Amino acid sequence: MSRKYVVENKIAATIFNLIIALICLASILAYFVAPLWKVNVNYTLTAETFKSMTSTSGGSGSETGSEAGSGSEAGSGGSGASETDELMKEIEKELEANPIQAKFGVELHTATLLSSFSGNGEKLVADLIGYNVDSLVEQLSGTVKEVSKVAVKSATKVSLKEMLKDEDGKEYQWKNEAVMNEELDKLTDALVSDDATVTSVSEAAVNAVANIYKSETDEEISEEDKAKAREEVEKVLREVADENGNIDADKLIADLLAQAMNGSQGSGESGGENTEKKEEAGVKYAFAAFTANAESEAGGSESGAGSESGSESGAETGSESGETADATEQLKSALTTKINESIGDKMDTVLLVLKIAGGVIIFTLFTWAYILLKIICKSASRNPVVKLKLPIWLGWLPFLVLYALPTVAMRFATNAAGAAAGAAGAEASAAMSGLSVSFATCGIVSAIAAFALLIIWIPYHHLKSRA
């Protein structure tokens, strides 16, 4: 004979049921409001990390320079190595003062996962890329701005040192370093400001070089030389500006990522052309090309000619990119093509895995919806108390699968990778030291809700008594 229970204090049971219903609703809605799963990547580039990563290549470069040491070729090679070493030192100094932190995340939404049941893998990939690319470009924008500031300041310092040093060839020592840093900060601030334009940045560049030159030599750069330098700087900046002369960092990042993706596809002549475009785009964003004009102002005509040639080459690329309506859409298209090509004939397997994952999510949603349904159905009965075992035991599975297990696995993987990188060498070990990966999921709401139900269950189940 089955047990029958009644509840004498129905008001208390109704209040509890209302609270439980709200908890269940919050758990269900979280899956459609917040990302189902998010992978966060964080990388910190410090001076120590940069030095360790570049010391190996720097050493090999020096060896190559010494081996090649004969005739004029060796001389030019030694000069190039020296300039590179100086640039590396300046970058280290900048990173010591301001380490660069790169953060970005990739999301998976519940609706995208459930769309796997439609069997259209290409559409699923397109949806996944669609809402990730916009946020990816936005997140990388700040990082690229910081990188560009370090690159510009370091390259400008090296170029100015080269221009100002004496004929004896000794390293130039700044006479007024405070003014130099202040002027370069003004330049980099103008470069990364939200309302940056060709005019504002070129003016800031010319003013910075002129003011530093004056503080170091007590001499003015002529207006004619300033005008020439300004013209050369504007040529470089127009390659990364829109038709109105605005410099949009987000658009530029999308363009660079799209070209990088295109550069990794294909082979032969086509691959070579894409690689060239990628390299050109990388050079464009450095913005440090204007520092060569400082030497031109001091009388170096060859540098100016090289600048004109580079500008003409950049103008060609600029006109090509100008024909592209939307760099972000181009990036989405490139990523979609790349991922679909990588998956290839394994799309059915991928869809099967996603369907299984979708099934787990549907089951989880059912455990919470079932409680809501039971509360509604038993609201007018003698025993409105419902059993809470199903969501307490199984309602937090996504939290376990998408956060707890990956976090533990990542810690083991990080330790293993660190050991492997250490065995591989200092360069690999340094590269890994600044990397961290973390996970987030809306399933945490279900985990909290399940814990809350467990607490509520203690007084709740005592409301009923045997008839």
Side-chain angles (χ1 to χ4, degrees), residues 386-413:
V386 298
K387 293 180 179 179
L388 305 177
K389 291 181 180 179
L390 196 59
I392 288 176
W393 284 104
L394 301 173
W396 53 282
L397 279 177
F399 173 78
L400 176 67
V401 175
L402 299 177
Y403 177 79
L405 293 179
T407 299
V408 173
M410 183 53 63
R411 287 188 181 178
F412 281 108

Side-chain angles (χ1 to χ4, degrees), residues 7 55 113 116 144 222 252-253 280 315 370 373 375 431 444 463:
V7 173
S55 60
L113 183 64
S116 62
V144 174
S222 69
L252 183 58
I253 293 164
E280 287 171 4
Y370 176 74
L373 184 63
I375 287 173
I444 192 171
L463 291 175

Side-chain angles (χ1 to χ4, degrees), residues 60-390:
S60 62
S62 300
E63 289 171 12
T64 306
S66 62
E67 287 175 6
S70 65
S72 60
E73 289 181 8
S76 61
S79 172
S82 176
E83 288 178 12
T84 302
D85 290 341
E86 285 298 319
L87 182 59
M88 295 299 105
K89 288 178 183 177
E90 292 297 339
I91 291 175
E92 283 176 31
K93 289 178 183 177
E94 291 297 326
L95 289 175
E96 191 171 352
N98 299 295
I100 294 174
Q101 199 167 54
K103 292 181 179 180
F104 65 90
V106 179
E107 300 177 354
L108 172 64
H109 292 178
T110 304
T112 304
L113 183 64
L114 297 181
S115 69
S116 62
F117 289 99
S118 68
N120 191 339
E122 287 74 14
K123 184 180 181 301
L124 187 148
V125 170
D127 289 344
L128 182 63
I129 289 171
Y131 54 74
N132 272 298
V133 165
D134 293 329
S135 62
L136 182 63
V137 169
E138 184 180 347
Q139 291 171 73
L140 287 178
S141 176
T143 301
V144 174
K145 285 179 180 180
E146 290 303 312
V147 171
S148 68
K149 288 172 73 171
V150 170
V152 169
K153 289 185 75 172
S154 302
T156 306
K157 286 179 182 179
V158 171
S159 184
L160 285 170
K161 277 186 176 182
E162 187 67 23
M163 179 181 73
L164 295 167
K165 72 179 181 181
D166 298 329
E167 293 180 359
D168 57 12
K170 291 182 180 178
E171 182 180 356
Y172 182 79
Q173 300 297 323
W174 298 109
K175 296 175 183 176
N176 198 336
E177 194 167 0
V179 171
M180 181 269 297
N181 284 322
E182 182 182 349
E183 292 298 328
L184 290 183
D185 284 338
K186 289 178 183 177
L187 167 58
T188 54
D189 288 343
L191 176 65
V192 300
S193 66
D194 293 334
D195 56 352
T197 64
V198 170
T199 303
S200 66
V201 176
S202 61
E203 193 65 31
V206 173
N207 287 340
V209 173
N211 291 337
I212 294 170
Y213 186 83
K214 182 180 178 181
S215 72
E216 296 294 316
T217 64
D218 292 326
E219 295 177 10
E220 296 276 2
I221 294 178
S222 69
E223 290 301 320
E224 183 181 354
D225 286 338
K226 284 184 181 179
K228 288 179 181 177
R230 189 178 291 106
E231 183 181 349
E232 294 301 325
V233 175
E234 287 178 354
K235 283 182 181 179
V236 174
L237 293 173
R238 284 194 192 102
E239 308 309 324
V240 293
D242 61 21
E243 57 186 9
N244 298 317
N246 299 314
I247 299 172
D248 186 349
D250 290 351
K251 178 182 179 300
L252 183 58
I253 293 164
D255 187 42
L256 290 176
L257 291 174
Q259 291 194 29
M261 291 301 303
N262 289 329
S264 65
Q265 297 174 21
S267 58
E269 293 180 6
S270 169
E273 289 172 6
N274 285 329
T275 303
E276 286 175 12
K277 287 181 181 179
K278 182 173 67 174
E279 289 173 355
E280 287 171 4
V283 171
K284 284 185 206 173
Y285 198 74
F287 290 117
F290 83 88
T291 56
N293 297 307
E295 297 177 41
S296 174
E297 292 166 26
S301 59
E302 287 183 23
S303 166
S307 242
E308 287 178 16
S309 169
S311 297
E312 287 174 10
S313 170
E316 234 177 358
T317 310
S319 63
E320 287 176 8
S321 63
E323 294 172 2
T324 305
D326 190 341
T328 303
E329 290 302 319
Q330 191 180 31
L331 174 58
K332 290 177 182 179
S333 176
L335 279 170
T336 303
T337 302
K338 183 67 177 176
I339 292 175
N340 283 330
E341 285 179 356
S342 300
I343 295 174
D345 56 0
K346 297 177 183 177
M347 182 63 79
D348 289 341
T349 304
V350 172
L351 284 173
L352 178 61
V353 172
L354 292 175
K355 285 177 182 177
I356 293 172
V360 172
I361 298 300
I362 290 173
F363 175 75
T364 302
L365 294 174
F366 167 75
T367 62
W368 296 98
Y370 176 74
I371 299 299
L372 283 175
L373 184 63
K374 288 279 287 183
I375 287 173
I376 293 171
C377 292
K378 295 185 68 176
S379 60
S381 68
R382 295 177 63 191
N383 175 22
V385 172
V386 298
K387 293 180 179 179
L388 305 177
K389 291 181 180 179
L390 196 59

